[in-house]
Amino acid sequence: MSRLENIRNSFKSIETETKAFFHGEKWKETLVFLFFVLLAFGFWLLQSLQQTYEIELTIPVRYKNIPADIAFNSPAPETIVAKVKDKGSVLLNYTFKGSFAPIDISMKDKEQKNGTILVSKESIENEILKQLIATTSLQGFEPQEISVNYSQRISKRIPVVFDGDIQPAAGFQISNDIQITPQEVDVYATSTLLDSLSEVKTVFTEIKKADKEIKRTVQLEKIKGANIDPETVSVTIPIEEYTEKTLEIPVSCDHIPPHYTIRMFPAVVKVTCGIPLSRFKSLSKEMFEIHIPYKELEQNISGTLPVTLTKKPDWVRTVTLTPDKIEFILEHNNGHD
């Protein structure tokens, strides 16, 4: 018997045994057992949900209409933890509900630049009860009142810096500087904190496979103990399709003594650069320069020097020089002895 036939017979045997099990008495007994287990669990759950329990609910606190030049002198409570009592079925609704509406505390009517926000126990209790079902009993909550001191802070204009990772699509590149509007923002804080700040960063932004100019409104990274106005900036990232252009640039040298002649091999270097497609026609060899000071030639004893661009447009990102070295001969003119 071949190996393939043995495998087929094994599968047939397993199939036969499986069918026999599901059609046999043991499987029927298992089903009956599982049915009664589920039935018992259902009765237990129904009974449990009729009993009374206590749970804790977390309700957020939201501070609104805070002027940019106002800051809290100490951390303000961000949540209220309420202890409630009710039947299990009712408390289960709170669990399924998830988050509660925040308790709003507004500074709209606060005209003084120094003072205290005070929310009484009664006010907090009323706000909590608004969100509870009538049968639910409020057992207590913490904190029982909110008291936060605030004061006016000095300001300083600080430049904004983009923080992120931009990955253009194949054949595309960032064609110019990233533009941020506004370029500076007002930061309100203590003089000590302001003296330590030199920049405000945007939140980290990652962009992949970018193939066109990108404009986004980006949040600024929060600074502990400071308020920032505005809290968002507009970021423009110029991205263009790139191509290559090759130009022949002559190698120049100045301040050559009249009794010397310099011969360079080669005297012209090919410059291949990656540029935005929109600038292909406007790019010319007059925009580039390869210059070697005479002193470097005079002090060189090998007769070979590396060449680098001494002038190029700022928007030209990648450049390849061919060759990247030249040979030279410094000849003495007999006629000037």
Side-chain angles (χ1 to χ4, degrees):
M1 185 180 294
S2 66
R3 184 177 180 183
L4 181 59
E5 289 177 345
N6 286 333
I7 294 173
R8 287 177 179 173
N9 291 335
S10 297
F11 275 112
K12 287 181 179 180
S13 177
I14 293 171
E15 183 182 3
T16 302
E17 292 177 2
T18 303
K19 288 181 178 179
F21 173 77
F22 284 112
H23 289 85
E25 291 297 324
K26 288 185 178 181
W27 173 242
K28 293 179 180 178
E29 292 174 1
T30 302
L31 286 177
V32 172
F33 174 77
L34 291 174
F35 171 76
F36 281 107
V37 168
L38 290 173
L39 189 63
F41 175 76
F43 282 121
W44 172 83
L45 184 61
L46 287 173
Q47 186 177 4
S48 298
L49 290 177
Q50 296 307 309
Q51 296 180 10
T52 302
Y53 300 93
E54 283 188 3
I55 63 169
E56 289 185 346
L57 303 176
T58 301
I59 303 173
V61 178
R62 181 170 58 189
Y63 300 88
K64 300 173 61 179
N65 303 311
I66 302 175
D69 60 343
I70 293 297
F72 297 136
N73 298 336
S74 58
E78 296 182 352
T79 59
I80 302 282
V81 179
K83 184 178 289 185
V84 298
K85 185 177 182 180
D86 208 332
K87 290 182 179 180
S89 57
V90 177
L91 298 181
L92 197 61
N93 287 331
Y94 294 123
T95 303
F96 287 141
K97 180 182 178 181
S99 60
F100 287 80
I103 296 175
D104 289 331
I105 299 174
S106 176
M107 289 189 65
K108 187 175 182 180
D109 299 326
K110 302 287 184 181
E111 297 181 358
Q112 297 82 7
K113 298 299 184 181
N114 296 279
T116 302
I117 295 176
L118 181 62
V119 183
S120 66
K121 178 180 178 181
E122 291 75 16
S123 297
I124 296 174
E125 183 176 357
N126 289 335
E127 291 296 325
I128 296 173
L129 291 174
K130 288 179 182 178
Q131 302 194 55
L132 299 181
I133 298 173
T135 59
T136 303
S137 172
L138 179 61
Q139 301 298 298
F141 53 89
E142 289 291 338
Q144 294 194 355
E145 70 172 17
I146 294 175
S147 178
V148 184
N149 295 326
Y150 63 91
S151 59
Q152 185 175 17
R153 300 199 172 184
I154 61 175
S155 67
K156 178 182 177 182
R157 293 190 69 80
I158 298 179
V160 179
V161 176
F162 177 76
D163 184 21
D165 180 23
I166 312 300
Q167 299 178 19
F172 291 79
Q173 291 187 32
I174 299 175
S175 60
N176 214 326
D177 295 333
I178 295 174
Q179 300 297 317
I180 300 175
T181 306
Q183 296 179 349
E184 296 179 324
V185 293
D186 292 316
V187 179
Y188 297 87
T190 62
S191 58
T192 303
L193 179 56
L194 291 177
D195 289 342
S196 68
L197 296 176
S198 59
E199 62 185 29
V200 177
K201 291 184 177 181
T202 65
V203 296
F204 188 82
T205 305
E206 186 177 25
I207 299 174
K208 296 182 178 180
K209 297 182 179 180
D211 58 2
K212 61 182 179 180
E213 182 179 88
I214 295 171
K215 290 185 178 181
R216 284 192 181 180
T217 299
V218 182
Q219 288 279 344
L220 295 177
E221 193 73 46
K222 292 184 178 180
I223 301 172
K224 188 175 182 180
N227 290 336
I228 304 174
D229 183 34
E231 297 179 341
T232 62
V233 292
S234 175
V235 176
T236 302
I237 305 168
I239 293 177
E240 290 189 52
E241 186 176 358
Y242 263 59
T243 186
E244 285 191 347
K245 188 170 185 176
T246 300
L247 301 168
E248 292 188 344
I249 310 300
V251 182
S252 63
C253 183
D254 60 2
H255 298 100
I256 303 171
H259 55 280
Y260 280 111
T261 299
I262 296 175
R263 301 188 186 279
M264 300 180 183
F265 307 96
V268 174
V269 173
K270 288 185 178 181
V271 177
T272 303
C273 47
I275 58 171
L277 192 60
S278 61
R279 295 182 183 262
F280 185 85
K281 292 183 178 179
S282 62
L283 187 70
S284 64
K285 64 180 183 180
E286 288 76 23
M287 297 178 178
F288 296 87
E289 186 178 87
I290 299 175
H291 181 76
I292 300 176
Y294 172 74
K295 286 185 178 180
E296 291 187 16
L297 297 174
E298 188 179 32
Q299 296 170 2
N300 185 282
I301 59 175
S302 66
T304 302
L305 276 176
V307 289
T308 57
L309 282 175
T310 52
K311 175 186 171 184
K312 75 174 182 66
D314 294 335
W315 42 268
V316 172
R317 301 291 181 178
T318 58
V319 175
T320 303
L321 303 183
T322 308
D324 58 359
K325 294 179 181 180
I326 64 165
E327 296 179 354
F328 69 93
I329 297 175
L330 196 58
E331 295 180 341
H332 189 278
N333 297 328
N334 294 327
H336 290 81
D337 288 341

